[in-house]
Amino acid sequence: MSPRRSVSSKKAPRKDSALLASAPIFAALGDETRLRLIAVLCAGRAMSIAQLTSGTEITRQAVTKHLCMLAEAGLVRDIKVGRERLWEFEPTQLEEARRSLEAIARQWDHALAKLKMAVER
Amino acid sequence: MSPRRSVSSKKAPRKDSALLASAPIFAALGDETRLRLIAVLCAGRAMSIAQLTSGTEITRQAVTKHLCMLAEAGLVRDIKVGRERLWEFEPTQLEEARRSLEAIARQWDHALAKLKMAVER
DNA sequence: TTAAAATGCAACCAGGAGGTAGCATATGAA
DNA sequence: TTCATATGCTACCTCCTGGTTGCATTTTAA
């Protein structure tokens, strides 16, 4: 094998850990049903499981599972009120995801700029 | 049942389709291995499967599968060069994902502003 | 107090995700 | 030509996901 640089020889920057940490957030967002729930909840009002189920084609139990997955990713939060369990949007982790996408985009733009400079000189 | 407004009674806006369309992109981003591949590829240089595999703990076949999933989401593209297959980052779909996250954040900020106004009057 | 509503919990199922190994094929280089 | 490299393809495995049904529990309201 030639002594060509391998991928890892460049020593991945520490910032990568932040990127990799957002994988669960993206995974939670990677489902239409959950995106719908997010869209409904980020309209502001905390809603019960029954309310969130009405208007969908799936069962209450399926909705519950999706809400739990969103909660594990930190994208929603629940508050128990009487016999109801109200769910509300939690924006912190979404901001984290936005920062990750911006970091990728920035790195890409930087690579393009460097390439352009190399071509023009 | 009381005639309380159901979730769907508010008629979901057309913009939702754009949101839901980005579910596959988020799903593709929702895996650490794929995020690593993205991070490497958006550094600019197109790389072969063998190069992308070296420095990881998984097999070449696993990397190939991940690259194919990223390609289906439109996040990477491949070019055949000789006996190699070079992969490069494709920024379009990532921008789409960024727009979706921004749309959610905007909707949330709007809801908060409305709530604040309702409280203050 | 008693029935209906809202939810919790557990079992179950089909299919896909993430990974492996083995072998075939194409291509570059000596 | 011949071998090593880079990749493709297929089968296989395990675990998680998205969904269901059935039944128990808690709480509200009549």
Short mmCIF file of all heavy atoms in Angstrom, two decimals, chain C residues 2-15:
data_model
loop_
_atom_site.label_atom_id
_atom_site.label_comp_id
_atom_site.label_asym_id
_atom_site.label_seq_id
_atom_site.Cartn_x
_atom_site.Cartn_y
_atom_site.Cartn_z
P DT C 2 -72.11 1.93 42.38
OP1 DT C 2 -73.39 1.62 43.08
OP2 DT C 2 -70.99 1.01 42.49
"O5'" DT C 2 -72.43 2.20 40.85
"C5'" DT C 2 -72.89 3.52 40.50
"C4'" DT C 2 -72.35 3.93 39.14
"O4'" DT C 2 -71.51 5.11 39.27
"C3'" DT C 2 -71.49 2.90 38.40
"O3'" DT C 2 -71.78 3.00 37.02
"C2'" DT C 2 -70.07 3.36 38.70
"C1'" DT C 2 -70.29 4.87 38.62
N1 DT C 2 -69.24 5.70 39.28
C2 DT C 2 -69.11 7.01 38.90
O2 DT C 2 -69.80 7.53 38.06
N3 DT C 2 -68.14 7.70 39.55
C4 DT C 2 -67.27 7.23 40.52
O4 DT C 2 -66.43 7.93 41.04
C5 DT C 2 -67.46 5.84 40.87
C7 DT C 2 -66.58 5.21 41.91
C6 DT C 2 -68.42 5.14 40.23
P DA C 3 -71.70 1.81 36.01
OP1 DA C 3 -72.96 1.06 36.07
OP2 DA C 3 -70.42 1.12 36.25
"O5'" DA C 3 -71.64 2.55 34.60
"C5'" DA C 3 -72.49 3.68 34.36
"C4'" DA C 3 -71.75 4.72 33.53
"O4'" DA C 3 -70.78 5.42 34.36
"C3'" DA C 3 -70.94 4.13 32.36
"O3'" DA C 3 -71.07 5.00 31.26
"C2'" DA C 3 -69.52 4.11 32.89
"C1'" DA C 3 -69.51 5.37 33.75
N9 DA C 3 -68.51 5.33 34.82
C8 DA C 3 -68.16 4.27 35.59
N7 DA C 3 -67.24 4.54 36.49
C5 DA C 3 -66.95 5.88 36.27
C6 DA C 3 -66.06 6.77 36.89
N6 DA C 3 -65.24 6.42 37.90
N1 DA C 3 -66.03 8.04 36.45
C2 DA C 3 -66.84 8.38 35.45
N3 DA C 3 -67.73 7.63 34.77
C4 DA C 3 -67.74 6.38 35.25
P DA C 4 -70.69 4.54 29.79
OP1 DA C 4 -71.91 4.59 28.96
OP2 DA C 4 -69.90 3.29 29.90
"O5'" DA C 4 -69.73 5.72 29.32
"C5'" DA C 4 -70.11 7.07 29.58
"C4'" DA C 4 -68.88 7.96 29.53
"O4'" DA C 4 -68.08 7.75 30.71
"C3'" DA C 4 -67.95 7.69 28.33
"O3'" DA C 4 -67.53 8.94 27.84
"C2'" DA C 4 -66.81 6.89 28.96
"C1'" DA C 4 -66.74 7.52 30.35
N9 DA C 4 -66.14 6.66 31.37
C8 DA C 4 -66.32 5.32 31.56
N7 DA C 4 -65.66 4.83 32.57
C5 DA C 4 -64.97 5.92 33.09
C6 DA C 4 -64.09 6.06 34.17
N6 DA C 4 -63.72 5.06 34.97
N1 DA C 4 -63.59 7.29 34.41
C2 DA C 4 -63.95 8.31 33.61
N3 DA C 4 -64.78 8.30 32.56
C4 DA C 4 -65.26 7.06 32.36
P DA C 5 -66.77 9.04 26.45
OP1 DA C 5 -67.49 9.99 25.59
OP2 DA C 5 -66.50 7.67 25.99
"O5'" DA C 5 -65.40 9.72 26.89
"C5'" DA C 5 -65.44 10.79 27.81
"C4'" DA C 5 -64.05 11.10 28.31
"O4'" DA C 5 -63.67 10.16 29.34
"C3'" DA C 5 -62.97 11.01 27.24
"O3'" DA C 5 -62.09 12.10 27.42
"C2'" DA C 5 -62.27 9.68 27.54
"C1'" DA C 5 -62.40 9.61 29.05
N9 DA C 5 -62.40 8.26 29.61
C8 DA C 5 -63.08 7.16 29.17
N7 DA C 5 -62.89 6.09 29.90
C5 DA C 5 -62.02 6.52 30.90
C6 DA C 5 -61.44 5.86 32.00
N6 DA C 5 -61.66 4.56 32.28
N1 DA C 5 -60.63 6.58 32.80
C2 DA C 5 -60.42 7.86 32.52
N3 DA C 5 -60.92 8.60 31.51
C4 DA C 5 -61.71 7.85 30.73
P DA C 6 -60.94 12.43 26.37
OP1 DA C 6 -60.82 13.89 26.26
OP2 DA C 6 -61.15 11.57 25.19
"O5'" DA C 6 -59.67 11.89 27.15
"C5'" DA C 6 -59.25 12.55 28.34
"C4'" DA C 6 -57.93 11.97 28.79
"O4'" DA C 6 -58.17 10.70 29.42
"C3'" DA C 6 -56.95 11.70 27.64
"O3'" DA C 6 -55.69 12.26 27.98
"C2'" DA C 6 -56.91 10.19 27.52
"C1'" DA C 6 -57.26 9.75 28.94
N9 DA C 6 -57.93 8.44 29.00
C8 DA C 6 -58.86 7.94 28.15
N7 DA C 6 -59.28 6.73 28.46
C5 DA C 6 -58.56 6.42 29.60
C6 DA C 6 -58.54 5.28 30.43
N6 DA C 6 -59.30 4.20 30.21
N1 DA C 6 -57.71 5.29 31.49
C2 DA C 6 -56.95 6.37 31.70
N3 DA C 6 -56.88 7.51 30.99
C4 DA C 6 -57.72 7.46 29.95
P DT C 7 -54.46 12.10 26.99
OP1 DT C 7 -53.60 13.27 27.21
OP2 DT C 7 -54.93 11.74 25.63
"O5'" DT C 7 -53.74 10.83 27.61
"C5'" DT C 7 -53.40 10.87 28.99
"C4'" DT C 7 -53.05 9.50 29.50
"O4'" DT C 7 -54.15 8.59 29.30
"C3'" DT C 7 -51.87 8.82 28.82
"O3'" DT C 7 -50.73 8.98 29.66
"C2'" DT C 7 -52.28 7.34 28.71
"C1'" DT C 7 -53.60 7.30 29.44
N1 DT C 7 -54.56 6.30 28.86
C2 DT C 7 -54.74 5.10 29.52
O2 DT C 7 -54.17 4.80 30.55
N3 DT C 7 -55.64 4.25 28.91
C4 DT C 7 -56.35 4.49 27.74
O4 DT C 7 -57.13 3.66 27.29
C5 DT C 7 -56.10 5.77 27.12
C7 DT C 7 -56.82 6.15 25.85
C6 DT C 7 -55.22 6.61 27.70
P DG C 8 -49.37 8.24 29.30
OP1 DG C 8 -48.30 8.98 29.99
OP2 DG C 8 -49.32 8.06 27.83
"O5'" DG C 8 -49.52 6.80 29.98
"C5'" DG C 8 -49.81 6.72 31.36
"C4'" DG C 8 -49.60 5.30 31.85
"O4'" DG C 8 -50.70 4.46 31.40
"C3'" DG C 8 -48.33 4.63 31.35
"O3'" DG C 8 -47.79 3.83 32.39
"C2'" DG C 8 -48.81 3.77 30.18
"C1'" DG C 8 -50.22 3.38 30.62
N9 DG C 8 -51.16 3.18 29.53
C8 DG C 8 -51.46 4.09 28.55
N7 DG C 8 -52.37 3.65 27.70
C5 DG C 8 -52.68 2.37 28.16
C6 DG C 8 -53.59 1.41 27.65
O6 DG C 8 -54.33 1.49 26.66
N1 DG C 8 -53.59 0.23 28.41
C2 DG C 8 -52.82 0.04 29.53
N2 DG C 8 -52.95 -1.14 30.13
N3 DG C 8 -51.96 0.94 30.02
C4 DG C 8 -51.95 2.07 29.29
P DC C 9 -46.32 3.20 32.24
OP1 DC C 9 -45.73 3.19 33.59
OP2 DC C 9 -45.63 3.87 31.13
"O5'" DC C 9 -46.63 1.70 31.82
"C5'" DC C 9 -47.70 1.00 32.45
"C4'" DC C 9 -47.83 -0.40 31.87
"O4'" DC C 9 -48.85 -0.42 30.85
"C3'" DC C 9 -46.56 -0.94 31.21
"O3'" DC C 9 -46.35 -2.26 31.64
"C2'" DC C 9 -46.86 -0.86 29.73
"C1'" DC C 9 -48.36 -1.09 29.72
N1 DC C 9 -49.07 -0.54 28.54
C2 DC C 9 -50.07 -1.31 27.92
O2 DC C 9 -50.33 -2.40 28.39
N3 DC C 9 -50.72 -0.80 26.85
C4 DC C 9 -50.40 0.42 26.38
N4 DC C 9 -51.06 0.88 25.32
C5 DC C 9 -49.37 1.20 26.99
C6 DC C 9 -48.74 0.69 28.06
P DA C 10 -44.93 -2.98 31.40
OP1 DA C 10 -44.46 -3.50 32.70
OP2 DA C 10 -44.08 -2.08 30.60
"O5'" DA C 10 -45.36 -4.22 30.51
"C5'" DA C 10 -46.58 -4.88 30.80
"C4'" DA C 10 -46.92 -5.84 29.68
"O4'" DA C 10 -47.72 -5.16 28.69
"C3'" DA C 10 -45.71 -6.41 28.95
"O3'" DA C 10 -45.88 -7.80 28.80
"C2'" DA C 10 -45.72 -5.68 27.61
"C1'" DA C 10 -47.20 -5.41 27.41
N9 DA C 10 -47.46 -4.24 26.58
C8 DA C 10 -46.82 -3.04 26.61
N7 DA C 10 -47.28 -2.16 25.74
C5 DA C 10 -48.30 -2.85 25.10
C6 DA C 10 -49.19 -2.48 24.09
N6 DA C 10 -49.18 -1.27 23.51
N1 DA C 10 -50.10 -3.40 23.67
C2 DA C 10 -50.10 -4.60 24.25
N3 DA C 10 -49.31 -5.06 25.23
C4 DA C 10 -48.43 -4.12 25.61
P DA C 11 -44.71 -8.69 28.18
OP1 DA C 11 -44.48 -9.78 29.14
OP2 DA C 11 -43.60 -7.82 27.73
"O5'" DA C 11 -45.45 -9.29 26.90
"C5'" DA C 11 -46.82 -9.63 27.00
"C4'" DA C 11 -47.38 -9.83 25.61
"O4'" DA C 11 -47.67 -8.55 25.02
"C3'" DA C 11 -46.40 -10.54 24.66
"O3'" DA C 11 -47.08 -11.60 24.00
"C2'" DA C 11 -45.98 -9.44 23.68
"C1'" DA C 11 -47.18 -8.51 23.70
N9 DA C 11 -46.87 -7.12 23.38
C8 DA C 11 -45.88 -6.34 23.93
N7 DA C 11 -45.84 -5.12 23.45
C5 DA C 11 -46.87 -5.10 22.52
C6 DA C 11 -47.35 -4.08 21.66
N6 DA C 11 -46.83 -2.86 21.60
N1 DA C 11 -48.39 -4.39 20.86
C2 DA C 11 -48.91 -5.62 20.92
N3 DA C 11 -48.56 -6.66 21.68
C4 DA C 11 -47.52 -6.33 22.47
P DC C 12 -46.29 -12.64 23.08
OP1 DC C 12 -47.00 -13.94 23.19
OP2 DC C 12 -44.85 -12.53 23.38
"O5'" DC C 12 -46.55 -12.07 21.62
"C5'" DC C 12 -47.88 -11.73 21.24
"C4'" DC C 12 -47.83 -10.93 19.96
"O4'" DC C 12 -47.44 -9.58 20.25
"C3'" DC C 12 -46.81 -11.44 18.94
"O3'" DC C 12 -47.51 -12.04 17.86
"C2'" DC C 12 -46.06 -10.19 18.49
"C1'" DC C 12 -46.89 -9.06 19.06
N1 DC C 12 -46.12 -7.83 19.39
C2 DC C 12 -46.35 -6.67 18.65
O2 DC C 12 -47.19 -6.71 17.73
N3 DC C 12 -45.66 -5.55 18.94
C4 DC C 12 -44.76 -5.55 19.93
N4 DC C 12 -44.11 -4.42 20.18
C5 DC C 12 -44.51 -6.71 20.70
C6 DC C 12 -45.20 -7.83 20.40
P DC C 13 -46.69 -12.92 16.78
OP1 DC C 13 -47.58 -14.02 16.34
OP2 DC C 13 -45.34 -13.19 17.31
"O5'" DC C 13 -46.55 -11.90 15.56
"C5'" DC C 13 -47.70 -11.20 15.08
"C4'" DC C 13 -47.26 -10.15 14.07
"O4'" DC C 13 -46.77 -8.99 14.77
"C3'" DC C 13 -46.12 -10.64 13.18
"O3'" DC C 13 -46.53 -10.63 11.83
"C2'" DC C 13 -44.98 -9.66 13.44
"C1'" DC C 13 -45.69 -8.46 14.04
N1 DC C 13 -44.83 -7.68 14.98
C2 DC C 13 -44.59 -6.33 14.74
O2 DC C 13 -45.08 -5.81 13.73
N3 DC C 13 -43.81 -5.63 15.59
C4 DC C 13 -43.29 -6.24 16.65
N4 DC C 13 -42.52 -5.52 17.48
C5 DC C 13 -43.53 -7.61 16.93
C6 DC C 13 -44.30 -8.29 16.07
P DA C 14 -45.68 -11.39 10.73
OP1 DA C 14 -46.58 -12.27 9.98
OP2 DA C 14 -44.46 -11.93 11.36
"O5'" DA C 14 -45.26 -10.18 9.78
"C5'" DA C 14 -46.23 -9.18 9.47
"C4'" DA C 14 -45.57 -8.01 8.79
"O4'" DA C 14 -44.88 -7.20 9.78
"C3'" DA C 14 -44.51 -8.41 7.75
"O3'" DA C 14 -44.63 -7.54 6.64
"C2'" DA C 14 -43.18 -8.24 8.49
"C1'" DA C 14 -43.50 -7.13 9.49
N9 DA C 14 -42.79 -7.29 10.77
C8 DA C 14 -42.58 -8.44 11.45
N7 DA C 14 -41.92 -8.27 12.58
C5 DA C 14 -41.69 -6.91 12.63
C6 DA C 14 -41.04 -6.10 13.57
N6 DA C 14 -40.48 -6.56 14.69
N1 DA C 14 -40.99 -4.77 13.32
C2 DA C 14 -41.54 -4.30 12.20
N3 DA C 14 -42.18 -4.97 11.24
C4 DA C 14 -42.22 -6.28 11.52
P DG C 15 -43.65 -7.74 5.39
OP1 DG C 15 -44.45 -7.43 4.19
OP2 DG C 15 -42.96 -9.04 5.52
"O5'" DG C 15 -42.59 -6.57 5.60
"C5'" DG C 15 -43.06 -5.25 5.81
"C4'" DG C 15 -41.92 -4.34 6.19
"O4'" DG C 15 -41.45 -4.64 7.53
"C3'" DG C 15 -40.69 -4.47 5.27
"O3'" DG C 15 -40.20 -3.16 5.03
"C2'" DG C 15 -39.71 -5.28 6.12
"C1'" DG C 15 -40.04 -4.75 7.52
N9 DG C 15 -39.63 -5.63 8.60
C8 DG C 15 -39.77 -7.00 8.66
N7 DG C 15 -39.30 -7.52 9.78
C5 DG C 15 -38.82 -6.42 10.48
C6 DG C 15 -38.20 -6.35 11.74
O6 DG C 15 -37.94 -7.29 12.52
N1 DG C 15 -37.86 -5.05 12.09
C2 DG C 15 -38.10 -3.94 11.31
N2 DG C 15 -37.72 -2.77 11.81
N3 DG C 15 -38.69 -4.00 10.13
C4 DG C 15 -39.02 -5.26 9.77
#
